[in-house]
Amino acid sequence: MSKFVSPVYNVKKVPIEKIQANTYNPNHVAPPEMKLLYESIKDDGYTMPIVCYYLKDIDKYEIVDGYHRYTTMLRHKDIYERENGCLPVSVIDKPLEDRIASTIRHNRARGEHSVDLMVNIVKELKDAGMSDAWIMKNIGMDADELLRLKQISGLASLFADKEYGKAWK
């Protein structure tokens, strides 16, 4: 039996100045999702460490996964100050080709949201009394996306907080 221990059990507090991006990450996050990531980190803190490889020769940590969590701290002074300029880091020790594969696996393993499940979530939040504004801010949706999910559901109750003009009569 192997004595492998998952890196997440040895998370380090690393100053952001000692962390650098890699040159091979193909992942891109659209502005609405980056805004949601900022809101998530602001409201919940860092709940997952950045995955890095330690570059001994230059005493830096190169990101394998977590580039956007890293850039959130770089771009937002409030996050930087609250976290004292440090990020949680778990370190993997693999050759470059395996780190590239790890980056791709991390990116692809995130999956996509099911439309049906998102409709159910919106319904549950509306049933709990949450406003459209609350849902858009906290779930990271714009008004058009929320409207589409409500339309897909076909449930009139999801439109209960809307005022309609006389054209609907």
Side-chain angles (χ1 to χ4, degrees), residues 115 118-119 122 141 145-153:
V115 171
M118 288 304 293
V119 166
V122 168
M141 292 182 182
E145 183 180 9
L146 182 57
L147 176 61
R148 282 192 303 273
L149 289 174
K150 287 177 163 186
Q151 289 170 332
I152 289 168
S153 76

Side-chain angles (χ1 to χ4, degrees), residues 9-125:
Y9 294 110
N10 189 24
V11 175
K12 302 171 183 274
K13 185 177 183 178
V14 177
I16 197 167
E17 294 78 18
K18 292 187 81 163
I19 300 172
Q20 66 182 35
N22 67 45
T23 58
Y24 51 81
N25 187 357
N27 193 23
H28 173 75
V29 176
E33 283 74 23
M34 282 303 296
K35 183 178 179 200
L36 185 60
L37 179 60
Y38 166 70
E39 291 294 331
S40 173
I41 292 170
K42 185 176 79 171
D43 293 346
D44 302 326
Y46 280 92
T47 59
M48 294 182 359
I50 308 300
V51 179
C52 292
Y53 172 77
Y54 181 62
L55 302 164
K56 293 177 186 118
D57 55 329
I58 61 171
D59 189 31
K60 289 234 176 185
Y61 293 82
E62 184 174 79
I63 298 170
V64 174
D65 181 64
Y67 173 76
H68 297 97
R69 284 171 271 149
Y70 160 78
T71 59
T72 297
M73 180 178 282
L74 288 177
R75 293 178 183 156
H76 298 279
K77 186 178 179 183
D78 59 331
I79 302 294
Y80 181 92
E81 289 176 354
R82 184 190 70 201
E83 301 293 329
N84 296 312
C86 293
L87 285 169
V89 171
S90 63
V91 179
I92 62 171
D93 187 15
K94 296 182 173 193
L96 178 60
E97 61 276 6
D98 289 331
R99 296 193 312 265
I100 292 170
S102 289
T103 295
I104 303 306
R105 282 193 303 268
H106 278 92
N107 290 346
R108 297 195 71 197
R110 283 180 178 74
E112 296 178 8
H113 286 209
S114 157
V115 171
D116 290 338
L117 291 176
M118 288 304 293
V119 166
N120 290 340
I121 288 168
V122 168
K123 181 182 181 328
E124 283 184 40
L125 291 171

